[in-house]
Amino acid sequence: MTDTANNPTPSIATLLLGLNGQQKMGFMVAIAATIAVLAGFWMWGQTPDYRVLYTNLSDRDGGAIIESLQQQNIPYKFAEGGGALLVPGNLVHEVRLRLASQGLPKGGTVGFELMESQKFGTSQFLEQVNYQRSLEGELARSMQTIGAVQNARVHLAIPKPSVFVKDQQKPSASVVLALHPGRELDPGQVNGIVHLVSSSIPNMPPQSVTVLDQSGNLLSSAREGNELLMDATQLKYVREIEQDYIKRIEAILSPITGQQNVKAQVTANIDFAQVEETAEIYKPNQRPNTAAIRSTQTLEALNGIAQAGGVPGALSNQPAPAATAPITTGAQVANATSGNAANTRKEATSNFELDRTIQHTKLPVGNIRRLSVAVVVNNRNVTDAKTGKVSSKPYTEAENAQITALVKDAMGFDPKRGDSLNLLNRAFNSEPEVALPEVPLWKQPDIIALAKDILKYVLIAGGVGFLLFGIIRPAFKNLATQAAAQAEAAAAAAEAARLHHGHGMGQLHETKNSYEDNLQLAKQLTKDDPKIVASVVKEWVNKE
């Protein structure tokens, strides 16, 4: 029997030639499946992580963006149900910059670029309509820059101008906002949108702007008839005043009690009433010699006809002689008076200026009417010098009085204003501090992402190793074993035939055992693979 221990391992070609048709087909299917699995693992490892590029795109912008992505050979896909356009995560920012350089996305609204495509011969009515559409689009774009606003639509009602004042009408506007899910606008932002629209349209008052959300809720409310209601600005001012006083009180007491041993709360009553006063004050009249005369009226009346006196003639019409001081008696004076009986009446009226003061006062808004302050102070910790034990003790009455005085000075306590202060010294009910558990390493997002990547590559390596060492290598090993067995059986059959033809009976007796074994192997080989036996017999015939 030929020794096969030192025979070299048969090659793959020899193994493949020794297979039958069914085995060859199975081997080819296994190789194809192995290649397919390896290709699948490789493609899975190379698949990019897609992220959102844009959401809620209009049909026009979506088509333009997809065309641009196809021209740049950038892969993309759509998210199911969300309407989002996805691209590889490492290309999101680059793609956005490229699309922005192309003016994409343009948005569902058009702005003043609509005026650039005006055709020659367009009517004045069409020009006015395009201008109004452009203005609405620009306002909508400005509103969409607000973080909470996802989409906006603006409708303007601009009346035709009239030369008659009584026929002039004020323009109005309606705004519909689509907010992001879970987002809302505070009153300050709504007022900002209202004033944005009213400032963009000439002669449009803020009361003519109506703002709605996508659910039909009225966001803007006119101030007419609601002047007494407090708006967000006034409430914010009250909170700022209260927080300012709280910081003052805690800052003045913290060096004494400790940062965590004092708590203060302040309630401020703020007067937001707008008051205007006009006073006209009249003081008592001044002295006549110091008063200013406004007007003087004098009336002089003469009643009766004076009798003629003197010698009739020309001398009576001559100038009077020089005056002398004659000595007259009482009878002569009476005669003279009775002889020239004229009635004279004089009236004088003087109007003096009045001392008047007119005051026009506009009181400031936001004055503090009253402050109510509550302060809680924790007991102080006292350490015993002998034992070193720490105990909690309240402050003395004198110390509480000093703390109260400090708080009054810090808050600007005014008893005329009705301010109140309540100071309480008690031991705080301190709860035991519960240490927040640290996030375990395996729950941290970075570690989870790294583990996913490592797991992906481990699975790929495991799959490849399983195919190589679990399927391909055992298959080749089985094929090699079968080929070696077949070769050994063929060699045994050849040796048996040689012994049968070239040796005598003695030799046959010596090799009886070996011959019987080889014969059994030849029979088994004939049953397993008759093609090999046929090829051996054919080779013998050709040699003979």
Side-chain angles (χ1 to χ4, degrees):
M1 179 177 177
T2 305
D3 187 8
T4 60
N6 297 326
N7 290 341
T9 303
S11 63
I12 297 177
T14 305
L15 295 176
L16 293 178
L17 291 175
L19 298 177
N20 56 17
Q22 185 177 2
Q23 290 177 343
K24 289 181 180 180
M25 182 62 67
F27 181 76
M28 294 176 63
V29 170
I31 294 296
T34 302
I35 295 174
V37 171
L38 292 176
F41 277 118
W42 182 81
M43 293 178 63
W44 178 51
Q46 297 297 324
T47 301
D49 183 17
Y50 281 85
R51 295 184 181 179
V52 178
L53 180 65
Y54 293 111
T55 58
N56 298 323
L57 292 172
S58 62
D59 296 339
R60 180 181 303 176
D61 287 340
I65 291 175
I66 290 176
E67 183 179 359
S68 177
L69 294 178
Q70 292 176 350
Q71 293 176 356
Q72 300 176 24
N73 295 325
I74 297 176
Y76 65 89
K77 63 180 181 179
F78 292 95
E80 297 181 359
L85 182 62
L86 307 179
V87 296
N90 57 342
L91 298 177
V92 171
H93 301 290
E94 182 180 356
V95 172
R96 285 180 180 175
L97 293 176
R98 290 183 181 180
L99 294 176
S101 64
Q102 301 175 9
L104 295 175
K106 297 181 179 178
T109 58
V110 293
F112 281 113
E113 66 270 11
L114 184 62
M115 306 299 294
E116 299 176 357
S117 60
Q118 291 288 340
K119 298 181 180 179
F120 182 75
T122 304
S123 63
Q124 184 179 2
F125 173 76
L126 185 57
E127 288 182 352
Q128 184 65 27
V129 171
N130 290 336
Y131 172 75
Q132 183 169 338
R133 288 182 57 196
S134 303
L135 192 57
E136 292 174 351
E138 292 294 334
L139 289 173
R141 287 179 179 177
S142 300
M143 297 175 191
Q144 291 174 4
T145 58
I146 302 175
V149 178
Q150 181 178 6
N151 194 9
R153 294 193 65 183
V154 181
H155 304 279
L156 299 178
I158 303 177
K160 294 182 179 180
S162 176
V163 296
F164 301 100
V165 178
K166 64 178 182 179
D167 295 336
Q168 291 181 355
Q169 298 179 0
K170 298 292 183 180
S172 59
S174 299
V175 180
V176 180
L177 301 177
L179 305 180
H180 288 285
R183 303 289 296 276
E184 62 181 5
L185 295 175
D186 56 29
Q189 292 175 315
V190 176
N191 291 334
I193 293 175
V194 170
H195 285 82
L196 171 66
V197 178
S198 64
S199 302
S200 303
I201 310 300
N203 300 324
M204 177 180 288
Q207 292 80 9
S208 300
V209 180
T210 304
V211 182
L212 302 175
D213 62 3
Q214 70 269 27
S215 301
N217 299 321
L218 181 64
L219 301 180
S220 63
S221 58
R223 298 287 295 175
E224 297 178 357
N226 295 329
E227 290 82 0
L228 298 179
L229 298 179
M230 297 181 66
D231 57 10
T233 305
Q234 294 175 350
L235 294 175
K236 182 179 179 182
Y237 176 76
V238 174
R239 288 194 296 268
E240 290 178 352
I241 291 294
E242 294 174 350
Q243 292 298 324
D244 181 66
Y245 279 105
I246 291 174
K247 291 180 179 179
R248 290 184 184 181
I249 296 171
E250 293 182 351
I252 196 64
L253 296 182
S254 294
I256 301 174
T257 62
Q259 185 67 32
Q260 302 298 329
N261 294 326
V262 58
K263 300 295 181 182
Q265 289 296 326
V266 177
T267 301
N269 187 358
I270 308 298
D271 185 9
F272 291 103
Q274 297 181 0
V275 179
E276 294 184 4
E277 296 180 353
T278 302
E280 187 172 356
I281 302 173
Y282 294 91
K283 294 183 178 180
N285 293 332
Q286 301 176 359
R287 297 178 180 179
N289 55 351
T290 60
I293 298 176
R294 174 186 292 181
S295 62
T296 302
Q297 183 179 0
T298 303
L299 177 62
E300 184 176 354
L302 180 62
N303 295 330
I305 300 175
Q307 297 180 358
V311 180
L315 294 177
S316 301
N317 297 327
Q318 292 181 357
T324 59
I327 299 174
T328 57
T329 61
Q332 292 176 346
V333 174
N335 291 332
T337 302
S338 61
N340 190 12
N343 187 7
T344 302
R345 183 171 63 88
K346 293 182 179 181
E347 295 180 0
T349 303
S350 297
N351 295 323
F352 295 93
E353 289 289 352
L354 298 178
D355 191 359
R356 183 181 63 173
T357 302
I358 299 177
Q359 293 180 351
H360 183 77
T361 305
K362 185 176 182 180
L363 299 179
V365 179
N367 290 330
I368 299 177
R369 289 181 179 177
R370 185 173 181 271
L371 288 177
S372 299
V373 180
V375 181
V376 180
V377 180
N378 190 14
N379 291 342
R380 57 182 176 180
N381 295 327
V382 179
T383 304
D384 192 354
K386 296 181 179 180
T387 61
K389 185 178 179 180
V390 179
S391 60
S392 177
K393 294 184 178 181
Y395 289 93
T396 62
E397 294 183 0
E399 291 173 341
N400 287 331
Q402 293 177 353
I403 294 175
T404 302
L406 287 176
V407 174
K408 287 184 177 181
D409 292 338
M411 63 176 285
F413 186 84
D414 188 1
K416 297 180 180 179
R417 194 171 54 188
D419 296 347
S420 62
L421 172 61
N422 188 4
L423 178 67
L424 181 63
N425 177 212
R426 288 290 186 274
F428 285 3
N429 186 13
S430 59
E431 298 180 356
E433 296 182 358
V434 179
L436 296 177
E438 296 183 358
V439 179
L441 188 64
W442 57 274
K443 286 187 178 181
Q444 296 181 4
D446 297 337
I447 301 300
I448 293 175
L450 180 61
K452 288 182 179 179
D453 295 337
I454 294 176
L455 180 61
K456 180 170 67 175
Y457 292 110
V458 167
L459 290 177
I460 294 174
V464 173
F466 176 75
L467 291 175
L468 291 177
F469 298 100
I471 298 177
I472 298 177
R473 184 179 178 181
F476 276 103
K477 188 175 181 180
N478 294 332
L479 291 175
T481 304
Q482 292 178 3
Q486 292 174 359
E488 184 178 359
E495 182 68 19
R498 186 180 63 81
L499 292 175
H500 179 72
H501 289 280
H503 296 279
M505 295 300 295
Q507 293 178 353
L508 180 61
H509 179 73
E510 294 177 358
T511 59
K512 182 178 180 180
N513 295 331
S514 298
Y515 175 76
E516 292 294 336
D517 295 337
N518 293 334
L519 184 60
Q520 293 297 328
L521 291 175
K523 290 180 179 180
Q524 186 66 31
L525 180 61
T526 303
K527 292 180 180 179
D528 293 340
D529 198 347
K531 289 184 178 181
I532 296 178
V533 178
S535 62
V536 173
V537 174
K538 184 178 179 180
E539 184 178 357
W540 289 347
V541 173
N542 292 333
K543 287 182 179 180
E544 292 178 356

